[in-house]
């Protein structure tokens, strides 16, 4: 039997490059190309397969296809691609595709909407939650009910599946008020559903305190009636790719908690910032910093080290552009051969641009990585650079993003690198004030946990032991937060291993009895053996002095 014209066309088209097939003028060729692309992606098992990077740029065009049947096949291909790709492969290709899907697919047939939702969930799984929320916000701002309802439903699904550790509740709380008075009844009902789901994660009272004053009386009554049914603890049912291998951390009790455990919402992230830096400045917090430098002067000097377009891109309002810029910035810093001469100006620049107020976690992580690299590579890292980073970095990384274990771990690593550069004593003295004044108890908890690891790594020779013991007693053991007390007990155990039983007398008047028993048990687990506690890490300045001597 002879080939039909269509069969011949499709057969010949298979010889064409992918980009030609996917954008062919004949819809049947495009349809067939998307089917083949989906099959090929389904056959790939290695997320580092170079073909995935080749396919990534195609989707911003294929999902915008004018033919609804081809568009569905394009979504199938994208789903197959996202299932095998990793975050690095998909990085940079997702934003435009996301925007197109939000604009063109959420108002389509139910099956197309369902596939679009699958794409968005896979993107969140690949750590692109900001990209998804940005696209949903754009769809909601247009105020077309047919697109708004699916957009709200996607945010609801994301929250229900991944929880508030991945989907930031602050963004949802900002978005909801404008939906409460929407002229479409379905939108108002959907916004109530999202509000109820939020209550399951962060608590009814928290949601009420933030949102109720922005609701009409009718909405309040309906929501109050529905809140009665909200009970229990919400738990995520789906993990991001990085969470698939559980990361655990000991939190004072000896029990290991995986990321799959019930997430803990930090209510302090939902309230406005409080100025605690002004009183700290008068308390000597910034000792070690001698004068100010204008941003213009900093940028002028950085311009001789970093390409101007990268500096400009770091100021972009679009986070993906800032992310690309900070990746390029890191590469250029790593290529600087004589880094010592440029340390201070690079650190000053990063503290200002993108700065410690950067809200995107991916960008913030890269900033921490660059500063950690500078501190570990330079033969001398000035104390004033440490102060600039702790002043912004500790709030930005451990305070503001404390719920994100990845951010917290990088921040702790950075503090350890600073300790290698200038000694842990200098770091401890500045952290005491931050942990004492900060409203968020998790800053205290995470700070004490890091201090315990610093004692294990560096010993106590660089520390003012009396100051540390007093802080541990007054701020840690006497804290009303159980996790802070547990972290302090671990820190005292680490000190006991280095110093011996004499430190126990300092805590003899601490009650209740259960706390004393826990302290005694921790000291028994970390016995003092004279000369046995050899520091794992050294301080660069001390090593230099020893070599000179």
């Amino acid at each position: 039997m002879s080939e039909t014209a269509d069969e011949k066309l499709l057969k010949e088209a298979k010889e064409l490059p992918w980009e030609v097939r996917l954008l062919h003028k004949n819809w049947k060729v495009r349809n067939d190309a998307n089917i083949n692309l989906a099959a090929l992606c389904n056959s790939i098992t290695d997320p580092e397969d170079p073909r995935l990077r080749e396919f990534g740029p195609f989707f911003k065009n294929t999902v915008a296809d004018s033919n609804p049947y081809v568009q569905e096949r394009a979504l199938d291909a994208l789903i197959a691609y996202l299932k095998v790709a990793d975050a690095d492969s998909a990085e940079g290709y997702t934003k435009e595709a996301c925007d197109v899907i939000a604009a063109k697919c959420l108002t389509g047939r139910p099956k197309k909407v369902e596939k679009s939702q699958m794409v968005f969930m896979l993107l969140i799984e690949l750590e692109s939650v900001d990209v998804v929320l940005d696209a949903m916000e754009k769809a909601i701002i247009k105020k077309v009910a047919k697109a708004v309802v699916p957009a709200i439903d996607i945010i609801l699904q994301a929250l229900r599946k991944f929880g508030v550790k991945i989907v930031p509740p602050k963004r949802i709380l900002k978005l909801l008020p404008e939906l409460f008075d929407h002229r479409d009844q379905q939108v108002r009902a959907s916004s109530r559903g999202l509000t109820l789901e939020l209550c399951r994660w962060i608590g009814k009272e928290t949601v009420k305190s933030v949102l109720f004053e922005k609701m009409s009386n009718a909405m309040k009554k309906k929501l109050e009636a529905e809140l009665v049914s909200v009970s229990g603890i919400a738990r995520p049912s789906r993990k991001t790719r990085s969470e698939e291998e559980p990361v655990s951390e000991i939190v004072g009790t000896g029990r290991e908690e995986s990321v799959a455990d019930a997430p803990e919402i930090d209510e302090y992230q939902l309230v406005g910032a409080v100025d605690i830096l002004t009183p700290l400045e008068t308390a000597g917090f910034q000792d070690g910093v001698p004068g100010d430098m204008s941003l213009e002067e900093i940028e002028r000097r950085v311009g001789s080290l970093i390409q101007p377009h990268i500096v400009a891109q770091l100021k972009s309002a679009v986070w993906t552009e800032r992310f690309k810029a900070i990746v390029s910035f890191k590469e250029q810093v790593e290529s600087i051969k004589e880094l010592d001469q440029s340390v201070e100006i690079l650190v000053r620049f990063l503290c200002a641009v993108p700065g410690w107020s950067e809200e995107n976690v991916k960008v913030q992580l890269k900033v921490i990585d660059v500063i950690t690299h500078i501190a570990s590579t330079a033969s001398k890292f000035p104390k004033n650079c440490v102060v600039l980073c702790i002043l912004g970095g500790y709030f930005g990384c451990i305070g503001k993003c404390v719920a994100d274990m990845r951010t917290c771990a990088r921040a702790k690593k950075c503090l350890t690198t600073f300790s290698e550069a200038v000694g842990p004593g200098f770091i401890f003295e500045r952290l005491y004030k931050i942990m004492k004044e900060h409203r968020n108890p998790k800053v205290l908890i995470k700070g004490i946990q890091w201090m315990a690891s610093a004692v294990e790594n560096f010993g106590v020779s660089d520390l003012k032991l009396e100051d540390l013991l007093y802080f541990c007693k007054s701020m840690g053991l006497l804290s009303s937060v159980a996790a802070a007390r547990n972290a302090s007990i671990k820190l005292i155990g680490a000190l006991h291993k280095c110093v011996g039983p004499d430190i126990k007398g300092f805590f003899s008047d601490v009650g209740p009895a259960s706390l004393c028993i826990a302290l005694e048990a921790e000291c028994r687990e970390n016995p003092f053996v004279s000369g046995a506690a050899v520091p794992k890490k050294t301080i660069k300045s001390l090593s230099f002095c020893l070599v000179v001597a």
Side-chain angles (χ1 to χ4, degrees):
M1 184 182 292
S2 61
E3 288 182 321
T4 64
D6 283 345
E7 288 172 341
K8 185 179 179 182
L9 178 64
L10 294 176
K11 185 177 178 179
E12 291 174 351
K14 287 185 188 294
E15 303 299 320
L16 298 172
W18 279 110
E19 57 268 31
V20 177
R21 291 180 66 194
L22 291 166
L23 299 177
H24 199 278
K25 63 181 181 180
N26 187 292
W27 74 268
K28 291 182 179 179
V29 173
R30 301 198 303 275
N31 196 60
D32 190 58
N34 278 295
I35 292 171
N36 293 159
L37 182 59
L40 181 54
C41 287
N42 281 326
S43 71
I44 295 174
T45 56
D46 182 5
E48 294 184 6
D49 191 307
R51 289 175 293 181
L52 293 173
R53 290 194 180 275
E54 177 194 349
F55 299 157
F58 297 158
F59 295 107
K60 64 181 180 183
N61 295 316
T62 59
V63 294
D65 201 289
S66 58
N67 185 294
Y69 297 103
V70 178
Q71 195 176 46
E72 261 193 62
R73 298 293 81 76
L75 289 171
D76 290 337
L78 179 53
I79 289 167
Y81 168 83
L82 293 173
K83 283 180 177 177
V84 69
D86 58 17
D88 290 333
S89 299
E91 190 71 59
Y93 306 133
T94 55
K95 186 180 185 305
E96 289 174 303
C98 236
D99 289 342
V100 171
I101 294 170
K104 294 183 176 289
C105 300
L106 292 186
T107 56
R109 297 184 303 160
K111 194 67 179 174
K112 188 185 292 185
V113 173
E114 183 185 332
K115 289 179 180 180
S116 301
Q117 291 172 338
M118 288 177 65
V119 168
F120 291 125
M121 295 306 110
L122 284 166
L123 286 170
I124 294 174
E125 196 176 277
L126 284 168
E127 323 285 346
S128 292
V129 65
D130 287 320
V131 170
V132 173
L133 292 179
D134 287 346
M136 295 308 101
E137 285 180 5
K138 287 178 184 175
I140 287 169
I141 288 169
K142 290 181 179 177
K143 297 187 177 180
V144 178
K146 199 176 178 183
V148 173
V149 172
I152 296 172
D153 189 49
I154 286 165
I155 298 173
L156 176 63
Q157 280 190 45
L159 181 60
R160 186 172 290 161
K161 291 176 185 291
F162 294 96
V164 291
K165 181 181 173 187
I166 304 301
V167 183
K170 195 170 184 178
R171 288 194 69 170
I172 301 174
L173 288 167
K174 283 182 178 179
L175 195 63
L176 279 169
E178 65 182 83
L179 300 173
F180 293 147
D181 296 320
H182 198 281
R183 63 178 180 271
D184 187 88
Q185 185 179 351
Q186 265 193 305
V187 173
R188 296 197 300 273
S190 295
S191 68
R192 283 204 310 277
L194 181 54
T195 305
L196 289 169
E197 185 63 29
L198 201 55
C199 288
R200 293 186 178 95
W201 291 94
I202 66 176
K204 301 176 190 178
E205 296 308 315
T206 303
V207 173
K208 282 183 181 180
S209 66
V210 178
L211 292 181
F212 264 42
E213 64 180 26
K214 299 168 185 176
M215 291 181 186
S216 65
N217 290 332
M219 177 68 90
K220 284 181 190 175
K221 287 179 181 177
K222 287 181 180 178
L223 204 55
E224 283 280 17
E226 293 172 339
L227 278 173
V228 177
S229 63
V230 176
S231 61
I233 299 172
R235 293 175 184 272
S237 60
R238 189 166 173 176
K239 298 177 182 179
T240 61
R241 302 278 171 89
S242 65
E243 290 178 316
E244 286 176 1
E245 293 184 7
V247 179
S248 62
E249 179 173 322
I250 297 175
V251 191
T253 59
R255 182 176 74 88
E256 290 190 350
E257 296 185 357
S258 78
V259 293
D261 285 346
E264 213 181 317
I265 183 64
D266 179 3
E267 294 183 19
Y268 294 90
Q269 292 178 342
L270 308 178
V271 297
V274 176
D275 176 23
I276 71 164
L277 295 183
T278 302
L280 290 181
E281 287 169 2
T282 60
F285 178 82
Q286 296 195 70
D287 291 351
V289 178
D292 292 332
M293 189 183 296
S294 70
L295 180 57
E296 186 180 52
E297 171 64 11
I298 293 170
E299 287 187 21
R300 186 186 66 78
R301 293 175 60 180
V302 165
S304 64
L305 302 167
I306 307 295
Q307 292 176 352
H309 77 275
I310 294 176
V311 173
Q313 200 172 19
L314 277 169
K315 299 178 183 178
S316 171
V318 181
W319 78 266
T320 49
E321 292 185 7
R322 297 198 303 278
F323 181 78
K324 289 177 185 175
I326 194 64
V327 169
S328 300
F329 190 99
K330 184 173 185 286
E331 290 171 354
Q332 294 205 3
V333 169
E334 288 171 344
S335 68
I336 297 174
K337 293 180 180 178
E338 298 296 329
L339 188 60
D340 285 7
Q341 301 170 14
S342 310
V343 167
E344 184 170 349
I345 198 65
L346 288 169
V347 172
R348 281 184 176 273
F349 175 74
L350 288 171
C351 287
V353 181
W356 295 113
S357 59
E358 171 62 56
E359 292 190 354
N360 183 271
V361 174
K362 286 188 176 183
V363 178
Q364 195 175 60
L365 285 172
K366 286 294 179 185
V367 171
I368 298 170
D369 287 345
V370 178
I371 289 176
T372 303
H373 169 78
I374 294 170
S376 63
T377 306
S379 60
K380 185 177 180 181
F381 193 73
K383 287 185 175 179
N384 61 334
C385 289
V386 174
V387 173
L388 285 169
C389 293
I390 291 177
L391 180 143
Y394 199 75
F395 291 124
C397 302
I398 298 181
K400 181 174 144 189
C401 299
V402 71
D404 189 328
M405 292 302 298
R406 293 163 300 166
T407 311
C408 180
R410 299 274 186 94
K412 288 180 177 180
K413 180 182 176 182
C414 191
L415 289 176
T416 300
T417 305
F418 289 165
S419 297
E420 289 181 286
V422 301
F426 187 82
I427 311 296
F428 276 39
E429 287 169 18
R430 273 130 193 93
L431 294 188
Y432 292 149
K433 295 182 177 69
I434 291 176
M435 292 189 286
K436 181 180 178 181
E437 299 291 337
H438 206 287
R439 290 178 61 195
N440 186 349
K442 287 189 179 179
V443 173
L444 176 65
I445 296 162
K446 298 295 181 182
I448 294 174
Q449 287 174 354
W450 174 79
M451 286 178 166
S453 69
V455 170
E456 291 173 357
N457 284 325
F458 297 95
V460 296
S461 62
D462 191 58
L463 304 177
K464 293 180 181 177
L465 195 57
E466 189 174 344
D467 290 351
L468 177 56
L469 292 173
Y470 177 77
F471 175 82
C472 214
K473 180 179 180 179
S474 61
M475 291 303 299
L477 292 178
L478 299 180
S479 171
S480 60
V481 181
R485 298 195 298 272
N486 291 332
S488 300
I489 291 170
K490 290 290 181 184
L491 174 54
I492 292 166
L495 289 169
H496 182 268
K497 195 171 184 177
C498 296
V499 179
D502 289 347
I503 67 167
K504 289 195 285 186
F506 195 85
F507 303 104
S508 59
D509 59 341
V510 172
S514 58
L515 194 58
C516 295
I517 293 169
L519 274 170
E520 193 65 43
E522 189 66 32
C523 289
R524 281 198 302 272
E525 286 183 20
N526 295 274
F528 170 69
V529 180
S530 181
V534 179
K536 300 173 186 175
K537 295 181 181 290
T538 56
I539 303 167
K540 286 182 184 177
S541 56
L542 293 180
S543 300
F544 178 76
C545 291
L546 288 172
V547 171
V548 171

